Structures are given as C-alpha cells and as structure tokens.
DNA sequence: CCGACCTGCCAAACCGATTTACCGGGTCGC
DNA sequence: GCGACCCGGTAAATCGGTTTGGCAGGTCGG
C-alpha cells in the first residue's frame, strides 16, 4: 500500500526539485523548463507509476476535484441511476469524482450529509430531485456552487428540468401522426410542474392540428394505476370514445391497459396509448410494449454537471456565478401501443 | 466559503494549543485534559461551528473515511440504487462518504476510475455487480480492502451474494402452501449462479413436500420475456398443465402472463405465477400484481459495508483481513398472482 | 563595461489537521 | 530533601503536494 511514489521520489529520480516536477507535470503556466528536464521528469514519473496524491493537492489548492450529488431518494426509481450516470460522465472528463448521498427527504439527515461533504472541500454540489418539483436549496449550501437537477427553484441558482410542455406536445403529435382525431389525456391532479405542463402542451398541439376542442378531453386524477384505471373506464366506456389516449405516466398507462382489457378493447387496434417516463423495465415488458415519452435524465445530469463546472471556474477567477436554466426535451420511444385508429 | 474556522481559531478562542483541541475533540486515548479545559474547547468549537477539515485530516492520518463503490452499470436497473443505499447507511454511521463510479463493463475505464479513487486515499472499495455472477477483482485493487457485492469471486476476498437456492425453495413453498401439486419452472439457460441455484432449491423443496418428480417440470430458456412466453405456451397448452408456475425472473413472468392470456387462462384462478427479483415498478403495476421473491439488495449493501469496515479496522491494527462470505435470503413479496389451484 | 533582463531552476512557506517528544510543576515515597 | 512519577499541557515535525520569492548565470543594448 504505502509503496506509492511521492513527488519527492520522482524529483530524486529525475535529479530535480519537487517544485520542478510539479511545474512540469501540471504544465503550470508562467513557468519555464527546458525540454531536456521535462523529458527526464516525465520519464521518472512514468517509471515510478507516479500519480499525485489527490488529498495533498486538495489541501493546498482548496479544490478537491470532487462534486457532491445529493439526492432525495436513490433507491426506488431507476431515474437516480441515469441522473448520476449523466453527471458522472462529465465529472470524469474533468478528472473528478462523484460523492453520492441520499437524504430520504429528511432535512436533518440532509444537513448532516451536506456538512460531511463540505468538510471534504467539494467543489460544488448537484442538488437532485427524483421527480420534477420546486425545491429550495438548504441554507448550509449557500456558499457553494450548486446546480439544481431535475427540479426548479426560486432561489437564485441554476437549474435544469424536463420540458414538460414539449413532452405533452410530442405525445399529442404521436397520436395525431398515427391518424387519431379523438384524443384524451388522463392527467395528474397533484400541484407539480409536470401536472400542468404536459396537458398544456398536449392541448396546444391538438389545437394546432385542427382538432376541435370538444374532441379532446383531459381529466385529472390522483397519479396511481388504480385511479387511472377508473378514469379510463369512464373515458372509454362509450361509443364516441377517444381512440388515442395519453397518460400522465407509464404507471397510469398500466391502469388504462387494464381497463381497456376489461372493456374488450385491444391495444393498439381499438385504442392507442402513449405513456410518459419511459420506465424501461415496465414499458418494454408489458404487452403490447408501451410507446412513451422518455425523460431526459442522462442529458439533464450532464447539463447540470457542465453548468456546475462553469460556475466553479467562474468562482475560481472571482467572477459572479453565471446562473442559467434549461428545460430539456425528452425523446419519444416508439414501441407497440400506438396504431391507426379503428376502421 | 473561506470563513470556515480552523483548529487554530478554536485554539485561540479557547486559549489553548491546537494540540489540545485535537486531543479534546477526538478524545484521543492516552491523553489527559482537565475538565475545565475540555469544556472551554468544546464551547469554543461550538461557538465557531467548527468541524475538522476532512482533507487535512486525511492527509495526516492516511485515512479518508471514504469508500469507493465501483459498479458495472448503475443506470439501467433499480438494483444499483438499493445496493448503494444499503451500503450508504452503514458508511454514514461511520461518518464516511461514498464515492460512486460506474465502469460500464469497460476494463480500461474501470482502471482509470480505480486510480482516481486510490489517489484519493479511499479506505476500501465495494466492488459491485448488478447481477449475481463470478467476478475477478482487478489487480489495481490488490492492496486495498475490497468486498465483492452481489457477486462471488475466486480471489481471496470477501463477498456477499443472494441465496439463490433459498429463493428457489421459497418460491416452491409459496405454491405448495397455496395447495398446488403440479408445478413447473421456466429457468434460465445461461451459465450463471442464479440459473442453477434457483431450480435446485425449487426442486428440492417440491420433493420435500412429497410432490412426485413427474409432476414438476423445469425448462431452461434464454432469459427474455419472449422466450419465456414460448416456453409457457408449451408448458400450459395441455390438459394436465401445471397449476403453479415459477419463473426465473419477473421479466420472464411477464412472458408467462402474456401466454396465459392468449390461452384464456386467468391468473391466479387458473394459473398461479411466482416471479423473482421484485422489480417493484413492474410487478406492482401489472394485473394481477406479481408475487415474487425479492433480492436482498439493501441487506447485501449493508453487509458488504459492515464487512469492509471490519477489514479496514483489521488492516489498521496490522492484522490480516478476515475474509468472509455470505449468502443472503430474499423475502417473498406476496401480491396477487398466487391463488388456490383450480377446482 | 555596466545594468537590465531573461532563462531555468530551487528553497522554503503553506494548506490544516494529527502525532511525537518533551517540559514545568506538584506529589509521593523513602 | 531528593529522585521518581504523574498531571496538564505545548512546540515542532509531519503528511504530499503547490506556490511564492528568489537566485545564479548568460545575453543584450547602449
């Protein structure tokens, strides 16, 4: 273990001082070193398999090349993994490392974790929510660069969230493209951004396609498969039923699937269904596989990490943090639940 | 940012030396300090909101209170989150922090990530697989404490994996308890531990319950919903069909669901189905909700972290690492896909 | 020929903790 | 009354890097 080479070892082997080794290996701007010496240093470092001790460096430079990822729940959705992965790819390019913590919606725990991160001189934090909502960044983070991920905030901080409106538009477009002219949406009655954005986009696109407003229905229910099933039952159990149905999320689409089955409606022959979220495990496994609007988790994670590095760099040069916001559009994943309208 | 109090600030305020502050705050064994002084130090630390800089401490002690979590894929399954969460709870109790990395089954990337972790003086690493298999710990980790998580290894290292045999037993028991006497299993033809363990336990328990061997069938197919559906078709499309069906995993159970539906068999009235994995999103959403054997991810994560800390402590005192192995039993999650056998 | 300036390199300070080694002063035993 | 020992505490070294502030020696312009 302890046989790791230090900068002194490299210096001795190259016949120079540690200062020079540091300058050469870091390409420190404003320093000069002859080509010959540079070569000797590089050779010595390579022979010893030297790589700088990140802890020592962090102590001196007050920069640890590590960023914290504080999430509210990491265990129950596959979303967390995608957010983390997207962020990680960017962090890796910066030779950094991700410190992941989970707060379980527990404010006290969150503060303890944040202290723990701060005591490690992290360069910044990604403050992530597992579903799109409005968060407030804890006061303990006031001094650190922070980007809010998969959420928005009223604090003066950068954030990135899904473009819910565009998602609603895209869902409508899928149905319209398939030829549907009688549409419905089972929405979410909760007061969260997605619950208003998705139907707004859906309605707008339907209107833009010239579908009369009496031919597109939106109902709002509690976001469970059970409530969605009831809503679908009411929506579908009549002769002039919609032929294209957009559900607030994939889980609710499963409720619609069940109701359709009970009513003897085949998907996609009698009814086309579009979901939201792209819970891949679920939507690819059911029969028929569910066409759905994916959430751009990978992209959001990457965007947030990029932005965080921008803010970290700004702070390093003493400039104010450039606050930015983004709403990213998800892609439609075409599977088998959408077809032409009946007859 | 830079207004964080240092140990010197505390020392000045308490009118003592940094040495004493360190002794008091860490309760360093073998040192003596008067009650009065201790009180002053604690008061000063509290007033300044002091907490030690973890980077400086790590540099001096060569112990960073951080452990690496290196996983092969973190984005595609909800398993990763549970493994991480289980580990994290233990790590947190040790005032540590988890550095999460993802290798995407890419050996070169893996080595880069490991170097990155090692350069940060991590205390040990959790080497995690997302599905139970046999792994070999990369050579670059030879000097560090390592516990293999959700996998086993032939290297001389600790590991923890699911008890596949017990899972197979439990699945059989669920069906037997419900009264079934004609059983089948759709197994996995891949050469992985789960593929042999689960059927072995299943068969053993069926035999123990006195079910004649000609009444329990096991077939092995490629682990996809499609292949499982075909297998289910063959298994179920005859009069003496089994009434209780165990599927290698939840995804394959979905295939069986589809075939049952095609054959006009109702679940659980005509056919009872037990899955494996407890992909909660999936199994709770389908109709009927799937009874399944859960994988003990949380518990494995916690076990691995505990064991890692044992090995870290051993190393600190110069003892050899106590290598241990564990196979943890998952719990049966009872939902709605198991009922009494028909008639 | 002198001073200014450049080149190439290094010694020492520093980051913030822990750990080692030691030091006054009081107590105790004899 | 003297050495041994305990008590409560501190100064300085240390971990492994980076950064600051120079310092020889050579070159160049005037």
């Amino acid at each position: 273990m302890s046989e790791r080479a230090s900068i002194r070892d490299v210096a001795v082997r190259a016949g120079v001082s540690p200062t020079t080794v540091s300058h050469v290996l870091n390409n420190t701007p404003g320093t000069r070193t002859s080509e010959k010496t540079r070569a000797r240093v590089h050779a010595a470092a390579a022979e010893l398999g030297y790589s700088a001790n990140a802890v020592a460096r962090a102590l001196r430079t007050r920069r640890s090349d590590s960023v914290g990822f504080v999430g509210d729940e990491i265990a129950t959705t596959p979303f967390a993994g995608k957010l983390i992965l997207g962020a990680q790819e960017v962090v890796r390019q910066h030779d950094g490392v991700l410190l992941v913590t989970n707060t379980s919606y527990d404010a006290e725990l969150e503060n303890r974790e944040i202290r723990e991160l701060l005591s490690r001189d992290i360069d910044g934090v990604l403050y992530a929510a597992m579903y799109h909502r409005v968060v407030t960044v804890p006061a303990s983070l006031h001094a650190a660069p922070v980007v809010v991920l998969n959420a928005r905030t009223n604090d003066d901080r950068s954030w990135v969230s899904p473009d819910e409106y565009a998602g609603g538009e895209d869902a409508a477009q899928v149905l319209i493209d398939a030829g549907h002219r009688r549409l419905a949406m089972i929405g979410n009655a909760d007061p969260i951004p997605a619950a208003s954005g998705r139907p707004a986009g859906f309605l707008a696109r339907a209107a833009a396609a010239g579908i009369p407003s009496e031919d597109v229905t939106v109902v709002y229910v509690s976001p469970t498969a059970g409530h969605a099933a009831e809503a679908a039952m009411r929506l579908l159990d009549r002769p002039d039923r919609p032929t294209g149905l957009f559900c607030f999320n994939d889980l609710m689409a499963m409720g619609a699937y069940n109701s359709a089955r009970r009513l003897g409606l085949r998907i996609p022959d009698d009814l086309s269904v579009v979901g939201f979220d792209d819970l891949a495990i679920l939507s690819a496994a059911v029969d028929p596989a569910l066409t759905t609007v994916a959430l751009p988790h990978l992209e959001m994670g990457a965007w947030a990490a990029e932005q965080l590095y921008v803010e970290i760099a700004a702070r390093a040069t003493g400039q104010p943090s450039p606050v930015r916001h983004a709403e990213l559009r998800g892609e439609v994943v075409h599977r088998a639940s959408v077809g032409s309208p009946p007859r």
Side-chain angles (χ1 to χ4, degrees), chain A:
Chain A
M1 194 90 211
S2 59
E3 74 284 328
R4 280 196 55 193
S6 82
I7 196 172
R8 248 161 286 266
D9 301 326
V10 178
V12 168
R13 181 173 256 260
V16 298
S17 71
T19 305
T20 300
V21 175
S22 175
H23 287 335
V24 170
L25 295 182
N26 294 322
N27 268 315
T28 313
T31 62
R32 306 161 289 260
T33 314
S34 69
E35 255 328 306
K36 236 178 176 153
T37 305
R38 298 178 62 81
R40 281 216 316 285
V41 168
H42 278 121
E47 288 159 20
L48 295 174
Y50 172 75
S51 82
N53 179 318
V55 176
R57 169 180 291 158
L59 176 59
R60 181 65 236 248
T61 62
R62 322 246 59 190
R63 197 179 191 292
S64 60
D65 287 323
S66 61
V67 337
F69 182 104
V70 355
D72 45 23
E73 56 178 328
I74 218 180
T76 41
T77 74
F79 298 161
K82 292 192 183 177
L83 290 172
I84 292 176
L85 189 60
Q88 190 164 93
E89 233 130 74
V90 172
V91 169
R92 167 159 45 228
Q93 284 163 22
H94 290 255
D95 292 319
V97 111
L98 212 52
L99 280 62
V100 175
T101 68
N102 184 87
T103 67
S104 312
Y105 299 102
D106 174 339
E108 196 193 342
L109 189 55
E110 175 173 274
N111 272 318
R112 289 215 310 144
E113 291 291 333
I114 288 173
R115 280 189 75 82
E116 201 67 66
L117 291 180
L118 256 21
S119 86
R120 284 175 161 77
D121 274 0
I122 47 160
D123 300 331
V125 352
L126 264 14
Y127 191 78
M130 288 314 132
Y131 70 92
H132 180 184
R133 61 188 207 277
V134 178
V135 302
T136 88
V137 177
S140 42
L141 282 175
H142 73 103
V146 172
V147 175
V148 170
L149 176 48
N150 194 31
R152 52 189 68 197
T153 177
N154 296 318
D155 309 334
D156 186 32
R157 317 224 72 142
S158 296
W159 54 256
V160 56
S161 72
D163 189 337
E164 309 287 2
Y165 186 91
E169 287 183 316
D170 289 345
Q173 195 63 50
V174 167
L175 294 170
I176 291 164
D177 285 350
H180 296 269
R181 307 291 298 175
R182 284 203 313 279
L183 307 180
M185 170 177 183
I186 303 178
N188 177 354
D190 291 346
I192 58 174
S196 48
R198 294 178 196 174
F202 185 74
L203 288 168
R205 181 53 58 94
I211 300 184
S213 64
E214 62 268 25
D215 285 347
V216 16
T217 319
V218 179
V219 299
Y220 297 88
V221 302
S222 220
T224 69
H227 287 99
E230 287 172 22
M233 213 65 191
R234 285 192 299 273
L235 241 25
L236 299 175
D237 196 13
R238 44 198 172 100
D240 63 336
R241 59 183 167 75
T243 63
L245 177 63
F246 173 37
C247 294
F248 177 80
N249 64 27
D250 288 358
L251 211 60
M252 294 171 76
M254 290 306 100
Y257 266 45
N258 295 339
S259 290
R261 207 131 50 206
R262 292 228 163 85
L263 292 170
L265 262 26
R266 288 158 312 158
I267 302 172
D269 311 292
D270 303 316
L271 176 72
S272 288
V273 177
V274 175
F276 211 108
D277 284 358
D278 190 30
L279 256 22
I281 284 172
L282 174 63
S283 31
V286 295
D287 186 33
L290 180 65
T291 290
T292 188
V293 181
L295 255 9
H297 288 115
L298 245 33
E299 296 81 356
M300 290 194 294
W303 189 96
E306 301 271 21
Q307 172 63 16
L308 188 60
Y309 276 105
V310 169
E311 299 193 12
I312 290 169
R315 145 159 337 214
T317 62
Q319 296 156 33
S321 280
V323 173
R324 291 171 60 214
H325 310 302
E327 293 186 288
L328 268 28
R329 188 175 205 127
E331 299 227 317
V332 174
V333 181
H334 293 276
R335 282 194 272 249
S337 63
V338 172
S340 317
R343 200 188 16 110

